[in-house]
């Protein structure tokens, strides 16, 4: 009830009034120009309703005048996309017919009820009664004076109710179809997955760079050698530059700019990670076999991040210990294994519940593969098996 009482003060009430009056004005112009074809507007409605872009135009007009709070929303209750399927076109036809009928009732009320108020004022003043009137001829003057505001109140109530009615119908008939709702849901899911992937990328790249920088800085301070310090600073600079490139690429995606983001690193650049780990003091023995430069894009990118996170965990939790890396590409899958000694103090690694280790398993699972992390023969091992397409 309170919403109904506040409606006269809301601008949307009067924009809806205008929305209901527009089709009747168009019909009036038609009848003025072609009075011999009174059924022309109805036929035109059927023809126009089947045109795909008419649904888009009606949706934009409905958003602008009926639901201005949803203006510009792509996922709003009123669709602004052209009709694709025949059910959408027939719903547009039905919408146009209903809009014309409700608009005719609104326009008729707008025309007659104010004249009724004028008639009541005339009766109250004792003036002559018009020939065409909706009021009883023998109405007392006192009653006419009491009823003066009633037609205007009835008109306002009709405008509010019919505006609400046509808004509900617009959401039903011009709302997104099942296919459009499914598409919107898929886009939303893709956005959420993309955000999760970006968060994982930042965790792996920035985490690796910071770990290398901390280890290198600590080793340089402990060594007390200018030559070692120079090598450490060079490794920090190179790792930091690579992290900045990754950060810039991610920020470009987040800003949704038209600039094409730089290519994500691939397993063909594994030497950069290996040299970074060696520069941090870890003796790295790597065995790489197979045409790694011919790996499918998703596989080579995710494998690079798995290797990066594995080396980062070694430096973070174990320090500069010997590391063995084996990467082998077979006909059906890519096998990646990183092994290092596991000191007694690495209890956190034994648990295997950190976000980094969980991210390794998630990356492998997204490609239909599997990643195992944990103790193996007295060492800590990360082993991933990623299926790949048959390479010609």
């Amino acid at each position: 009830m309170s919403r109904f009482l506040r409606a006269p003060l809301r601008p949307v009430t009067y924009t809806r009034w205008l929305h209901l009056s527009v089709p009747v004005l168009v019909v009036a112009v038609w009848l003025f120009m072609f009075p011999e074809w009174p059924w022309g507007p109805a036929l035109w409605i059927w023809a126009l309703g089947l045109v795909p872009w008419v649904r888009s135009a009606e949706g934009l007009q409905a958003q602008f005048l009926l639901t201005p709070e949803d203006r510009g929303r792509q996922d709003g209750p009123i669709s602004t996309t052209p009709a694709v399927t025949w059910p959408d076109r027939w719903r547009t036809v039905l919408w146009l017919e209903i809009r014309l009928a409700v608009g005719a009732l609104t326009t008729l009320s707008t025309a007659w009820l104010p004249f009724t108020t004028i008639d009541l004022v005339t009766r109250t003043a004792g003036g002559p009664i018009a020939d065409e009137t909706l009021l009883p001829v023998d109405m007392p003057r006192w009653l006419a004076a009491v009823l003066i505001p009633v037609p205007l109140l009835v008109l306002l109530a009709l405008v509010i109710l019919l505006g609400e009615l046509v808004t509900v119908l617009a959401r039903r008939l011009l709302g997104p179809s099942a296919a459009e709702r499914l598409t919107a849901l898929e886009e939303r899911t893709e956005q959420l997955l993309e955000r999760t992937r970006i968060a994982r990328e930042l965790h792996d790249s920035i985490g690796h760079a910071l770990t290398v920088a901390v280890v290198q800085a600590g080793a340089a301070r402990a060594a007390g050698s200018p030559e070692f310090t120079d090598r450490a600073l060079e490794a920090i600079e190179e790792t930091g530059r690579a992290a900045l490139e990754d950060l810039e690429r991610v920020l470009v995606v987040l800003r949704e700019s038209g600039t094409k983001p730089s290519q994500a690193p691939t397993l063909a650049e594994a030497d950069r990670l290996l040299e970074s780990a060696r520069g941090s003091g870890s003796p790295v023995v790597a065995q790489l076999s197979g045409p790694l430069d011919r790996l499918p894009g998703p596989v080579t990118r995710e494998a690079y991040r798995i290797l990066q996170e594995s080396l980062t965990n070694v430096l973070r939790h174990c320090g500069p210990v010997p590391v063995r890396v084996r990467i082998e590409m077979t006909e059906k899958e890519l096998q990646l294994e990183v092994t290092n000694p596991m000191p007694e103090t690495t209890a956190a690694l034994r648990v295997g519940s950190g976000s980094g280790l969980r991210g390794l398993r998630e990356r492998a699972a997204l490609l239909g593969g599997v990643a195992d992390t944990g103790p193996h023969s007295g060492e800590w091992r990360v082993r991933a098996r990623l299926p790949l397409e048959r390479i010609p």
Side-chain angles (χ1 to χ4, degrees), residues 126-324:
I129 301 175
D131 295 335
E132 297 181 359
T133 179
L134 299 177
L135 301 174
V137 178
D138 56 349
M139 177 182 295
R141 295 174 62 181
W142 67 266
L143 181 58
V146 172
L147 295 178
I148 286 176
V150 172
L152 296 181
L153 294 176
V154 172
L155 174 60
L156 185 59
L158 279 175
V159 169
I160 294 173
L161 293 176
L162 293 178
E164 291 287 345
L165 174 63
V166 78
T167 302
V168 172
L169 293 174
R171 288 172 174 156
R172 293 293 300 273
L173 298 177
L174 297 179
S177 62
E180 291 172 335
R181 286 194 295 269
L182 180 59
T183 300
L185 180 60
E186 290 176 348
E187 291 177 355
R188 177 62 177 168
T189 303
E190 288 294 331
Q191 291 175 357
L192 293 176
L193 291 175
E194 181 67 11
R195 291 180 182 179
T196 302
R197 186 189 66 81
I198 288 174
R200 190 183 297 119
E201 292 276 338
L202 287 176
H203 171 273
D204 293 348
S205 178
I206 304 303
H208 174 76
L210 292 177
T211 300
V212 170
V214 170
V215 172
Q216 289 279 10
R221 185 176 60 179
S225 170
E227 295 181 357
F228 186 86
T229 301
D230 289 341
R231 291 197 302 270
L233 290 176
E234 183 180 355
I236 293 174
E237 179 184 5
E238 181 181 353
T239 305
R241 186 179 295 110
L244 286 176
E245 291 178 357
D246 289 341
L247 180 61
E248 180 183 2
R249 177 175 52 81
V250 171
L251 291 179
V252 168
V253 176
L254 289 176
R255 295 191 191 105
E256 297 182 351
S257 64
T259 307
K260 184 178 179 180
S262 58
Q263 184 66 32
T266 65
L267 202 57
E269 305 172 53
D271 289 341
R272 186 174 71 177
L273 295 177
L274 301 177
E275 290 300 325
S276 177
R278 293 188 182 105
S280 300
S282 291
V284 179
V285 177
Q287 178 184 354
L288 284 69
S289 60
L292 300 181
D293 57 338
R294 300 173 60 191
L295 284 168
V299 175
T300 186
R301 288 191 293 268
E302 296 302 322
Y304 178 92
R305 293 305 184 189
I306 291 175
L307 176 61
Q308 184 182 54
E309 179 63 21
S310 301
L311 294 175
T312 301
N313 286 338
V314 172
L315 295 175
R316 180 182 300 160
H317 298 288
C318 301
V321 298
V323 181
R324 298 194 308 276

Side-chain angles (χ1 to χ4, degrees), residues 32-60:
F32 177 79
M33 298 177 60
F34 307 102
E36 65 277 10
W37 296 337
W39 297 105
L43 297 177
W44 275 109
I45 285 176
W46 279 80
L48 288 175
L50 298 178
V51 178
W53 62 263
V54 171
R55 179 170 180 258
S56 178
E58 288 293 320
L60 289 171

Side-chain angles (χ1 to χ4, degrees), residues 66-88:
L66 298 181
T67 58
E69 67 275 7
D70 298 327
R71 192 180 306 166
R73 285 182 53 187
Q74 297 297 326
D75 58 343
I78 297 179
S79 177
T80 57
T81 59
V84 177
T85 64
W86 280 103
D88 288 341

